């Protein structure tokens, strides 16, 4: 390992930002796949197409839950092994994880394609929306194996100290997605199917190009002969269970948003919450990007038993997360209407609904960062139980619970306030868990 690797550099704000900013930007571009589809479809296909995309979205979350779980969980183990000097074991386990994840997604794809219409109806589709859902969802689901590879490889590129390469691939994928969206949907009028093809094409760049890196044995992380280690696979699943919970919960909460909006307002409400969730995810993606970038460094120092560096990493991370939280909240409030115009420039009713709703939902950005960091921090420390507890409470329990209870009490305002309420309560628990385990890990 050369002195140029991030693991051998001084732990300070400058070095950590320099290392994590490419990953934060990368996450924004990754989030753009679905968001750009929504923008183009909203303007060229209409609100029916936008609503259909949001109904398909939970299916993608469910399909990708395993990928995010094993990516985060295996990365924690790989980083720890690198810190312990067990490079060959780290590479072998990475190879095993890739094979296992691709096999699982192929099986899930086959099962889903047999029951797609039933699933979309369960998620809130009616007869008018169903053809759009099937057209868009079938193409995206078939592209699932490539998307899995993109999730895994982008995560491993950070551990391999190649975050800039991951950023470059994501920018290339995002640009290709945008260009093809405009051409296929806006110019050639391929409708919602064109948007799906554009997204899959973008995934190909992020999913297949990194193969050249991981087949090169000169890189820190590369493919080696996989050896089955059931206990480590289970440990990886436990470590990354919070990421799986987050994706499954996102599927559930998105479905609840759709069902509540369809019941309270109708298709226009589903379109409004679709656009708002896209915007909210851009802000949240920055936090996930930071945690994804800083986690391998935390895991490495945990494996090396360098408590002083872990303490520095914790303190630096908290400062960065707090500053970013306030900054992004202010951006969301100031640019509220301008961001809404991207989706609803042709529909003043939809625009006003979005502006009102996003002004409330944006409050959650102030609290999301510390919740995401706390969960990711414990994952990096190989403490999957606490990480999963924070994530499950935040999403499955509080978000889903708020979406069921608050609309019953406050109608449409209850839908808007569900996310802020859940994030505020989650932050109290996250801070408590960080304080509770501070002496255990000495950070």
């Amino acid at each position: 390992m050369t002195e140029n690797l991030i693991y051998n550099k001084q732990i300070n704000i400058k070095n950590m930002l320099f290392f994590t900013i490419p990953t934060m930007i990368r996450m924004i571009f990754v989030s753009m796949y679905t968001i750009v589809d929504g923008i183009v479809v909203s303007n060229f296909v209409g609100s029916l197409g936008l609503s259909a995309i949001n109904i398909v979205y939970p299916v993608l979350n469910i399909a990708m839950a395993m990928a995010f779980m094993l990516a985060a969980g295996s990365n924690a183990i790989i980083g720890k092994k690198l810190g312990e000097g067990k490079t060959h074991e780290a590479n072998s386990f990475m190879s095993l994880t890739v094979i296992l994840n691709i096999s699982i997604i192929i099986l899930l794809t086959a099962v889903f394609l047999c029951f797609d219409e039933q699933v979309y109806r369960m998620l809130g589709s009616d007869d008018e929306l169903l053809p759009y859902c099937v057209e868009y969802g079938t193409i995206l689901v078939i592209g699932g194996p490539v998307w899995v590879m993109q999730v895994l490889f982008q995560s491993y590129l950070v551990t391999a100290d190649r975050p800039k390469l991951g950023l470059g691939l994501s920018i290339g994928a995002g640009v290709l997605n945008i260009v093809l969206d405009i051409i296929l949907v806006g110019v050639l009028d391929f409708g919602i199917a064109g948007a799906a093809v554009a997204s899959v094409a973008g995934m190909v760049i992020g999913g297949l190009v990194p193969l050249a890196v991981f087949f090169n044995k000169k890189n820190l992380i590369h493919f080696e002969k996989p050896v089955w280690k059931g206990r480590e696979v289970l440990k990886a699943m436990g470590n990354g269970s919070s990421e799986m919970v987050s994706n499954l919960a996102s599927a559930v909460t998105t479905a609840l948003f759709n069902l509540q909006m369809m019941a309270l307002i109708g298709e226009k409400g589903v379109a409004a919450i679709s656009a708002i969730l896209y915007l909210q995810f851009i802000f949240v993606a920055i936090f996930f990007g930071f945690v994804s970038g800083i986690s391998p460094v935390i895991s490495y120092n945990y494996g090396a038993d360098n408590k002083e560096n872990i303490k520095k990493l914790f303190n630096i991370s908290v400062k960065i997360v707090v500053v970013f939280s306030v900054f992004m909240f202010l951006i969301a409030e100031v640019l509220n209407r301008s961001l809404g115009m991207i989706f609803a420039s042709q529909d003043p009713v939809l625009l006003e609904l979005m502006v009102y709703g996003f002004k409330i939902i944006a409050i959650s950005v102030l609290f999301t960062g510390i919740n995401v960091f706390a969960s990711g921090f414990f994952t990096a420390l190989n403490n999957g139980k606490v990480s999963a507890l924070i994530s499950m409470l935040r999403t499955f329990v509080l978000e889903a619970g708020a979406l069921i209870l608050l609309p019953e009490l406050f109608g449409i305002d209850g839908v808007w306030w569900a996310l802020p309420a859940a994030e505020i309560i989650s932050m109290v628990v996250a801070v408590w868990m960080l304080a509770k385990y501070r002496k255990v890990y000495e950070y």
Side-chain angles (χ1 to χ4, degrees):
M1 196 179 300
T2 68
E3 291 298 320
N4 291 325
L5 291 176
I6 186 63
Y7 306 112
N8 294 316
K9 292 183 179 179
Q10 184 179 1
I11 303 297
N12 55 44
I13 289 181
K14 179 182 176 182
N15 285 339
M16 292 306 101
L17 279 176
F18 185 78
F19 183 67
T20 57
I21 281 178
T23 312
M24 287 188 269
I25 298 174
R26 173 178 66 80
M27 285 300 295
I28 293 174
F29 274 91
V30 169
S31 69
M32 289 298 291
Y33 294 148
T34 305
I35 294 168
V36 170
D37 285 354
I39 294 172
V40 174
V41 168
S42 177
N43 284 281
F44 289 98
V45 179
S47 59
L48 281 174
L50 181 59
S51 299
I53 290 178
N54 206 43
I55 288 174
V56 172
Y57 186 70
V59 174
L60 303 180
N61 283 124
I62 294 171
M64 298 309 298
M66 181 66 72
F68 282 103
M69 176 180 68
L70 286 178
S74 64
N75 236 359
I77 292 175
I78 292 167
K80 185 172 182 289
K81 286 183 179 294
L82 291 175
E84 295 169 342
K86 301 176 181 177
T87 306
H88 290 297
E89 288 187 20
N91 289 326
S92 175
F93 189 66
M94 185 268 285
S95 305
L96 173 64
T97 304
V98 172
I99 293 172
L100 179 63
N101 221 329
I102 292 176
S103 301
I104 291 172
I105 194 63
I106 290 175
L107 178 61
L108 287 176
T109 297
V111 172
F112 172 76
L113 290 177
C114 294
F115 303 100
D116 56 348
E117 291 191 11
Q118 295 93 317
V119 171
Y120 293 138
R121 289 189 182 278
M122 287 174 56
L123 295 174
S125 175
D126 57 15
D127 291 336
E128 190 175 18
L129 285 173
L130 187 59
Y132 291 91
C133 295
V134 172
E135 188 176 4
Y136 183 75
T138 300
I139 297 171
L140 281 190
V141 170
I142 290 174
V146 181
W147 197 352
V148 162
M149 293 170 69
Q150 175 184 257
V151 171
L152 291 173
F153 292 156
Q154 288 287 2
S155 182
Y156 294 147
L157 283 173
V158 177
T159 307
D161 196 15
R162 303 291 295 275
K164 291 182 180 178
L165 176 59
L167 171 60
L169 292 174
S170 294
I171 291 175
V175 170
L176 179 62
N177 187 20
I178 293 170
V179 171
L180 288 180
D181 263 327
I182 294 172
I183 293 174
L184 296 178
V185 182
V187 178
L188 299 180
D189 197 25
F190 283 178
I192 201 169
V197 170
S199 289
V200 174
M203 295 173 200
V204 168
I205 292 181
L208 299 185
V209 173
L211 287 171
V213 174
F214 296 113
F215 274 114
N216 186 348
K217 295 187 180 298
K218 294 181 180 180
N219 288 295
L220 175 64
I221 302 292
H222 56 264
F223 290 129
E224 291 190 18
K225 183 179 179 180
V227 177
W228 175 255
K229 292 189 175 182
R231 288 186 178 181
E232 289 197 339
V233 171
L234 291 175
K235 186 176 181 180
M237 294 173 69
N239 286 342
S241 59
S242 62
E243 280 67 23
M244 181 186 71
V245 168
S246 293
N247 278 271
L248 292 177
S250 181
V252 172
T253 54
T254 300
L256 286 173
F257 269 121
N258 292 337
L259 291 169
Q260 291 285 21
M261 282 301 198
M262 186 67 81
L264 291 169
I265 303 178
E267 171 267 319
K268 193 76 73 174
V270 176
I273 198 62
S274 302
I276 290 173
L277 291 178
Y278 293 152
L279 294 174
Q280 189 252 1
F281 186 65
I282 293 178
F283 293 96
V284 175
I286 295 175
F287 296 124
F288 280 109
F290 173 74
V291 172
S292 178
I294 204 74
S295 289
V297 187
I298 295 171
S299 296
Y300 180 91
N301 282 282
Y302 177 63
D305 197 30
N306 193 329
K307 293 183 174 61
E308 182 181 351
N309 276 355
I310 291 177
K311 184 175 182 179
K312 290 180 180 179
L313 286 164
F314 175 79
N315 291 331
I316 288 172
S317 297
V318 170
K319 292 176 183 177
I320 292 173
V321 167
V322 170
V323 170
F324 272 56
S325 297
V326 175
F327 180 68
M328 288 189 292
F329 168 70
L330 293 175
I331 289 178
E333 292 296 332
V334 171
L335 299 181
N336 186 356
R337 182 169 292 274
S338 298
L339 293 171
M341 288 287 290
I342 297 174
F343 290 90
S345 60
Q346 308 294 324
D347 192 331
V349 175
L350 179 59
L351 176 61
E352 292 306 316
L353 193 59
M354 283 183 56
V355 169
Y356 180 80
F358 189 52
K359 184 172 291 187
I360 297 172
I361 285 182
I363 295 172
S364 65
V365 175
L366 283 170
F367 310 96
T368 302
I370 195 66
N371 295 330
V372 171
F373 168 71
S375 180
F377 182 65
F378 285 111
T379 297
L381 293 174
N382 284 246
N383 191 331
K385 292 181 179 179
V386 176
S387 176
L389 175 64
I390 295 172
S391 184
M392 181 171 291
L393 179 68
R394 169 178 169 257
T395 52
F396 268 125
V397 177
L398 293 174
E399 287 186 14
L403 278 169
I404 294 172
L405 177 62
L406 295 184
E408 292 292 326
L409 299 175
F410 306 107
I412 187 66
D413 280 345
V415 177
W416 303 133
W417 278 102
L419 275 182
E423 295 289 1
I424 290 170
I425 299 173
S426 296
M427 189 193 70
V428 174
V429 176
V431 171
W432 176 58
M433 297 303 290
L434 289 170
K436 179 180 178 180
Y437 283 88
R438 192 158 196 168
K439 290 184 179 180
V440 176
Y441 296 104
E442 298 181 30
Y443 54 79

